[in-house]
Each structure stands twice: as C-alpha cells, then as structure tokens.
Amino acid sequence: MHEDPQAHVPAQALAPTSTPPAALAPPHSTTTLERGSFCLARCTCGWSGPARRSRDRARTDAEEHRSSPAGARQNA
C-alpha cells in the first residue's frame, strides 16, 4: 500500500502565504519626484518618503529605504 506523504500535513501548512519570503521579494526601485520646491522619494513597493526641500535628503531617504530589511513594510 502506498501512502501519500502529504496526507499527514495540516491543510494550513500547504496553503500559499500571502507575502513572499524576503529572498523572493522583488528588489526595491526608488526614484525622486519634484513637486514645486519639494522633492520626495518613491519606491515601486508603494512607499513614499516625506517631502523635502533638499534633493540630497530625499535621495538619502530612498537609499535608507532600499537598504532597510523591512523596507517594503515602511510607509511614511
């Protein structure tokens, strides 16, 4: 008699997760956007940084977001 190896695994263990593991998550791609005298950083994951008068500070916000391990979950 052949036994199915997944027969003893609970159904919730086989269900796909809603969030991909960090290793499979797509990389963050950030840009800066100018609005009048303000500049803000945005990411393809939906994150957006605060409006800054300094373009350099907006770029720093973007770099901090990209290098953060929980970057996708940060939201300003």
Side-chain angles (χ1 to χ4, degrees):
M1 174 192 252
H2 178 68
E3 204 174 296
D4 184 8
Q6 294 183 353
H8 301 291
V9 179
Q12 65 268 25
L14 298 174
T17 58
S18 59
T19 4
L24 300 176
H28 294 271
S29 176
T30 56
T31 59
T32 55
L33 174 70
E34 293 191 31
R35 288 197 177 160
S37 59
F38 291 92
C39 186
L40 60 127
R42 290 214 168 160
C43 181
T44 54
C45 75
W47 172 86
S48 110
R52 306 279 192 182
R53 286 194 182 268
S54 166
R55 289 183 187 100
D56 191 44
R57 183 61 184 132
R59 286 190 292 269
T60 302
D61 290 341
E63 181 56 38
E64 288 173 357
H65 172 74
R66 273 195 311 265
S67 63
S68 169
R73 292 185 297 271
Q74 292 178 351
N75 203 355

